[in-house]
Amino acid sequence: MKNKKRAITIQNVARAAGVSVSTVSRVLNGKADVASDTQDRIRAVIEKMGYTSNLAARSMRSHKKNLIGLVVPDIGLYSVEIMRGVNRAIAESKFDLLVYTTGDAQKNGAILHEQHYVSLLSNSVTDGVIIVASATAEFIADAPIVAVDPHIINPNYPSVQGMNYHGALEVMEYLIELGHRRIGFICGLAEIGSSQRRLQGYKDALVKAGIELDETLITPGDFTQKTAYKYARQLLALENRPTAIFAANDQSAFGVYQAAEEMGLSIPNDLSVVGFDNISEAKYLGLTTVDQFLSEMGYVAVQMLIKIITGEPLELEIHKMQTKLVKRTSCQRLIQAV
Amino acid sequence: MKNKKRAITIQNVARAAGVSVSTVSRVLNGKADVASDTQDRIRAVIEKMGYTSNLAARSMRSHKKNLIGLVVPDIGLYSVEIMRGVNRAIAESKFDLLVYTTGDAQKNGAILHEQHYVSLLSNSVTDGVIIVASATAEFIADAPIVAVDPHIINPNYPSVQGMNYHGALEVMEYLIELGHRRIGFICGLAEIGSSQRRLQGYKDALVKAGIELDETLITPGDFTQKTAYKYARQLLALENRPTAIFAANDQSAFGVYQAAEEMGLSIPNDLSVVGFDNISEAKYLGLTTVDQFLSEMGYVAVQMLIKIITGEPLELEIHKMQTKLVKRTSCQRLIQAV
DNA sequence: TTGAAAGCGCTAACAG
DNA sequence: CTGTTAGCGCTTTCAA
């Protein structure tokens, strides 16, 4: 290791420039009341020494850090799309970005970690934090928090929410328009709000179309391919099997494809399949709807948070996205692609 | 905002538990010499108050932070795969992870940002940092640094390097085996080391196969689809056009596909196309080679960094990955898929 | 316009 | 086993 360069502190800079630390601090923070030649001298020294202020020390003293924290459950397709939007907004702002991850949403004690990380960031280093797909609804935080697509919606925190209900409605309208009357539904994790809203969209669309709800066509699920596979087989083995299956997410849709294939059904001739959140397919097919939507959530969240931090008024505490999740073309091409 | 909960400090905990701050600090840091009932009492208070230690303050005082920093140029397919590996290694260790991004690799002053972020993290909050695809070779850092796939290789820093040369050799051997003699090459950004190594692999494979190098078959490029498209059209308009084109990255390969399609060439009958870093295709096709490779780089980098931090000996200062980038099947399926 | 000094929340000696 | 004390590097009064 050749890393024996001891970090340069404001002290070193001050000494080298022949001034006091407070003066250096002043130019660092752009205070006006420093003689311009002193200022130039100090800046030159900073440049030459390659000085970077100590984040920890700075954060501790001043409450203005110009840093936004982002806590994501993992680095997956979903989180990444949101991060993209976050980045875009960050790039447009004067804030920098710090991402904290547990690496695994399913990890034991994930909820504790979630809370821990939010506290960690918000109480010290950042001006505010965005939490993605939070399972928790309560946080102990010094700085403001914005939740993106939270599992449980807590009206006390500003949040950016997905279009789960309306997206599901749209998918159903599309399938019904194609002539389907018996449409299966594979649920997501029951305890998660977005799953519930998707299911509700499924049900309401049927009611709206005057199709009677058949509970045998609705199966449990947990957002995994494996479970969806199991229940898809079950659905497809029914005497009066569905002609279309709507899965609560893309992983589940894969499970359905797998089951259909194994049972010798051709898609989309024998069975139409639609998954919510078709992130990977959308990417392959060159569609950008879903990506843009997710990234838009991240983008909006940052904007909200910045408004809160800077004390600007917020029009809505809960910002409901209006972007459409599923484009007709997306469904169609997805079905044909598999 | 309902966030008026002022952050809880170690002082509050100490007072509530009726002990001194140092005692609380001791249980926080798992020092053995605290009476077990005192310990229980303090832990209970911490739990009840939802106390989380202030990262900034902690980092400043102790040089042990249990936190590893990761600086990535952006949140893209490439970085994400590396992050996955980083996460895996992090999950297995007692370190946490903090990611810093500028959000845009091409952004003006990116190199400055890069250095700035590395300093920021390494001088304060983290025990060490991993820098991905760094354009800079020099850093002022207090903590150790490991470079992943650096553009410029500085032997002073430990690094994990890609298989650019060998991967290119393999691709070429595959194409030559298919019977191709005239193989075009679309370069990556010339100033980047990995581009150069890929080009070298291309050339050396030709020499090895006894095929004369034809400079007209080598075009510039910059890793973008647009530029590759332009040069691919040029290559395909040649009187004696290549029967295969090898593009320096996946984006460039897309440009080639586009050009070929427009010129009425069918793939792979009229033209074979192979791109390096076929991340998106690999994902669609259910292949994991490339992902695993990239993620492996991240994984190894973390392990190296941890060894450096904890003072364990490192076998190699420069760790050369041995994983194969391109599996035969991957090439084949890629070509057939498009 | 500048410097001296206090203290942010925490850890690490050093005493008891 | 526990409390007291002295800073880590920085910003921010308060004086000069």
Side-chain angles (χ1 to χ4, degrees):
Chain A
M1 259 94 330
K2 309 288 171 310
N3 306 317
K4 279 301 93 194
K5 300 169 193 133
R6 195 83 191 73
I8 294 142
T9 74
I10 199 172
Q11 309 256 11
N12 305 327
V13 175
R15 195 154 19 233
V19 292
S20 76
V21 273
S22 24
T23 307
V24 177
S25 173
R26 271 189 274 263
V27 336
L28 244 34
N29 295 286
K31 303 273 190 249
D33 55 351
V34 178
S36 63
D37 54 333
T38 319
Q39 218 166 117
D40 293 346
R41 188 154 36 95
I42 293 173
R43 267 189 226 292
V45 173
I46 289 175
E47 180 78 16
K48 186 159 61 72
M49 302 180 86
Y51 166 76
T52 304
S53 79
N54 183 311
L55 218 204
R58 180 153 47 90
S59 306
M60 221 167 70
R61 270 313 275 167
S62 73
H63 270 197
K64 189 88 214 65
K65 296 135 193 168
N66 281 330
L67 201 51
I68 282 177
L70 176 66
V71 176
V72 292
D74 59 10
I75 309 273
L77 291 167
Y78 171 85
S79 307
V80 164
E81 290 308 330
I82 291 176
M83 283 191 213
R84 268 192 234 289
V86 168
N87 261 314
R88 196 155 46 87
I90 287 290
E92 294 171 6
S93 78
K94 60 178 179 20
F95 290 84
D96 282 341
L97 179 69
L98 211 49
V99 186
Y100 219 128
T101 324
T102 71
D104 182 4
Q106 317 291 348
K107 189 155 73 179
N108 247 357
I111 290 183
L112 260 88
H113 272 139
E114 208 172 71
Q115 287 173 318
H116 177 74
Y117 287 149
V118 170
S119 296
L120 205 59
L121 290 182
S122 78
N123 292 343
S124 45
V125 177
T126 61
D127 296 308
V129 357
I130 294 170
I131 170 125
V132 173
S134 59
T136 330
E138 271 309 330
F139 296 100
I140 296 170
D142 205 8
I145 291 182
V146 170
V148 170
D149 219 6
H151 291 169
I152 299 158
I153 294 169
N154 179 343
N156 290 336
Y157 295 103
S159 64
V160 179
Q161 296 170 33
M163 59 312 85
N164 295 291
Y165 177 75
H166 289 285
L169 270 185
E170 266 196 61
V171 168
M172 289 300 289
E173 278 163 13
Y174 170 67
L175 289 173
I176 290 167
E177 200 179 295
L178 285 182
H180 294 287
R181 313 297 291 172
R182 289 187 64 73
I183 304 171
F185 186 78
I186 297 188
C187 292
L189 266 175
E191 56 269 38
I192 289 178
S194 61
S195 308
Q196 292 158 12
R197 293 190 286 278
R198 287 171 197 187
L199 176 58
Q200 199 55 52
Y202 165 82
K203 288 180 176 172
D204 289 0
L206 289 179
V207 170
K208 220 159 125 187
I211 301 173
E212 203 182 340
L213 184 72
D214 181 350
E215 289 284 355
T216 60
L217 293 181
I218 302 176
T219 81
D222 58 6
F223 288 138
T224 69
Q225 176 168 352
K226 202 174 150 192
T227 304
Y229 166 78
K230 188 180 101 187
Y231 286 112
R233 285 201 68 109
Q234 204 168 292
L235 279 178
L236 296 174
L238 285 178
E239 200 157 332
N240 189 6
R241 71 163 181 79
T243 59
I245 292 180
F246 177 16
N249 76 328
D250 56 353
Q251 285 304 311
S252 300
F254 290 142
V256 178
Y257 302 145
Q258 194 191 335
E261 201 166 274
E262 276 192 24
M263 298 177 79
L265 297 173
S266 117
I267 292 168
N269 296 335
D270 302 331
L271 181 74
S272 285
V273 182
V274 181
F276 216 95
D277 293 344
N278 303 303
I279 302 172
S280 28
E281 297 87 335
K283 188 153 285 153
Y284 174 73
L285 296 169
L287 301 174
T288 47
T289 10
V290 182
D291 298 9
Q292 281 174 353
F293 170 78
L294 286 174
S295 111
E296 193 66 18
M297 292 215 294
Y299 186 79
V300 170
V302 174
Q303 291 193 322
M304 283 175 71
L305 186 55
I306 289 178
K307 277 192 185 163
I308 297 169
I309 291 170
T310 58
E312 282 176 67
L314 230 59
E315 297 89 60
L316 297 162
E317 277 249 319
I318 296 186
H319 183 115
K320 292 212 186 276
M321 298 291 304
Q322 281 158 355
T323 317
K324 279 172 275 175
L325 169 72
V326 183
K327 284 270 174 63
R328 292 288 149 98
T329 53
S330 160
C331 292
Q332 209 151 12
R333 295 197 58 180
L334 172 60
I335 293 166
Q336 289 172 354
V338 180
Chain B
M1 256 101 330
K2 309 290 174 309
N3 307 318
K4 280 299 96 200
K5 299 168 191 134
R6 194 86 191 74
I8 294 140
T9 74
I10 199 173
Q11 309 256 11
N12 305 328
V13 175
R15 196 155 17 236
V19 292
S20 77
V21 274
S22 32
T23 308
V24 177
S25 173
R26 270 188 275 263
V27 335
L28 243 35
N29 294 287
K31 304 273 191 251
D33 54 351
V34 178
S36 63
D37 54 335
T38 318
Q39 219 166 116
D40 293 346
R41 188 154 36 95
I42 293 174
R43 268 190 225 291
V45 173
I46 289 175
E47 179 78 16
K48 185 159 62 71
M49 301 180 88
Y51 165 77
T52 304
S53 80
N54 183 313
L55 216 205
R58 179 154 46 91
S59 305
M60 219 167 69
R61 216 38 209 122
S62 72
H63 269 197
K64 190 88 214 62
K65 296 136 191 167
N66 282 331
L67 201 52
I68 282 178
L70 176 66
V71 176
V72 292
D74 59 9
I75 309 273
L77 291 167
Y78 172 85
S79 306
V80 164
E81 290 308 330
I82 291 176
M83 283 191 213
R84 268 192 235 288
V86 168
N87 261 316
R88 195 154 47 87
I90 287 290
E92 293 171 5
S93 78
K94 62 180 179 15
F95 289 84
D96 281 341
L97 179 69
L98 211 49
V99 186
Y100 218 127
T101 324
T102 71
D104 182 4
Q106 317 290 349
K107 189 155 71 180
N108 248 358
I111 291 183
L112 261 89
H113 271 139
E114 209 172 68
Q115 287 173 319
H116 176 75
Y117 287 150
V118 170
S119 296
L120 205 59
L121 290 183
S122 77
N123 291 343
S124 44
V125 178
T126 61
D127 295 308
V129 358
I130 294 170
I131 171 125
V132 173
S134 60
T136 331
E138 270 310 328
F139 297 101
I140 296 169
D142 204 9
I145 291 182
V146 170
V148 171
D149 219 7
H151 292 168
I152 299 158
I153 294 168
N154 179 342
N156 290 336
Y157 296 102
S159 64
V160 179
Q161 295 169 34
M163 58 315 81
N164 296 291
Y165 177 76
H166 289 285
L169 270 185
E170 266 196 62
V171 168
M172 289 299 291
E173 280 164 11
Y174 170 66
L175 289 173
I176 290 166
E177 200 179 297
L178 286 183
H180 295 285
R181 312 297 291 172
R182 289 186 63 71
I183 303 171
F185 185 77
I186 297 188
C187 292
L189 267 174
E191 57 269 37
I192 289 178
S194 61
S195 308
Q196 294 158 13
R197 293 191 285 279
R198 288 171 196 186
L199 176 58
Q200 199 55 51
Y202 165 82
K203 290 180 175 172
D204 288 1
L206 289 178
V207 170
K208 220 159 128 188
I211 301 174
E212 203 181 340
L213 184 71
D214 181 350
E215 289 285 354
T216 61
L217 293 181
I218 301 176
T219 81
D222 58 5
F223 288 139
T224 69
Q225 177 169 350
K226 203 175 150 190
T227 304
Y229 165 78
K230 189 179 99 187
Y231 286 113
R233 284 201 69 109
Q234 205 169 291
L235 280 178
L236 297 174
L238 286 178
E239 201 158 331
N240 189 6
R241 71 163 182 79
T243 58
I245 292 180
F246 176 17
N249 76 328
D250 54 355
Q251 284 304 310
S252 300
F254 290 144
V256 177
Y257 302 145
Q258 193 190 336
E261 200 165 275
E262 275 190 26
M263 298 177 79
L265 296 173
S266 115
I267 292 169
N269 296 334
D270 302 331
L271 181 74
S272 285
V273 182
V274 180
F276 216 95
D277 291 345
N278 302 303
I279 302 171
S280 26
E281 297 86 335
K283 190 154 284 153
Y284 174 73
L285 296 169
L287 302 173
T288 46
T289 11
V290 182
D291 298 10
Q292 281 175 353
F293 171 77
L294 286 174
S295 110
E296 193 67 17
M297 291 216 293
Y299 185 79
V300 170
V302 173
Q303 292 193 321
M304 283 175 72
L305 188 54
I306 289 178
K307 276 191 184 163
I308 296 169
I309 292 170
T310 57
E312 283 175 66
L314 229 60
E315 297 89 59
L316 298 162
E317 276 248 319
I318 297 184
H319 184 115
K320 293 212 187 274
M321 298 292 303
Q322 282 160 354
T323 316
K324 279 172 276 176
L325 168 72
V326 183
K327 284 271 175 64
R328 293 287 150 98
T329 52
S330 161
C331 293
Q332 209 150 13
R333 294 198 57 181
L334 172 60
I335 292 166
Q336 291 173 352
V338 180

